[in-house]
Amino acid sequence: EVQLVESGGGSAQSGGSLRLDCAAPGYSGSWYFMGWFRQAPGEAREGIAALDLFGATSYSDSVKGRFTISQGYGNTFTLQMNSLKRDDTAMYYCAARSSYSSDSIPPRAEGEYNYWGQGTQVTVSS
């Protein structure tokens, strides 16, 4: 069973930056899609950034221009978060899919991903 592990969460001031990393310890394969999701208290989980193995990306309007998803070494991937706002406070999850998809735009829907991390908390204060 592949388990993703997030790291890099924590606290930041409004306007600051944080970087989240996602790794799959013990897994040597590659990902077709990689994504980041977040869930604030009392709200549904939201897909905010996605990347495919060809380098295409998609972002939610709430983070476009501020957050960047990218692939790191091997099958790791990151979410660089700049110009943080209090509304970015949430639990952040990474997700991945290894199987082929005909989607030309990386999806941000939960159902498109079959491997998930446990989540890491991000708190932004003013």
Side-chain angles (χ1 to χ4, degrees), residues 31-104:
W31 304 122
Y32 199 93
F33 291 138
M34 294 151 276
W36 286 95
F37 295 74
R38 69 184 182 186
Q39 187 169 23
E43 297 187 13
R45 190 151 58 180
E46 171 192 22
I48 58 172
L51 170 70
D52 70 15
L53 81 168
F54 305 109
T57 58
S58 69
Y59 296 94
S60 66
D61 288 343
S62 59
V63 306
K64 192 177 297 182
R66 300 187 298 122
F67 292 9
T68 303
I69 185 172
S70 60
Q71 188 155 14
Y73 178 77
N75 56 27
T76 65
F77 54 100
T78 69
L79 183 69
Q80 178 66 42
M81 304 185 294
N82 298 328
S83 302
L84 284 163
K85 306 175 181 179
R86 289 188 65 183
D87 287 348
D88 295 321
T89 295
M91 185 71 76
Y92 283 70
Y93 301 88
C94 65
R97 167 178 170 157
S98 57
S99 59
Y100 167 81
S101 169
S102 59
D103 289 344
S104 59

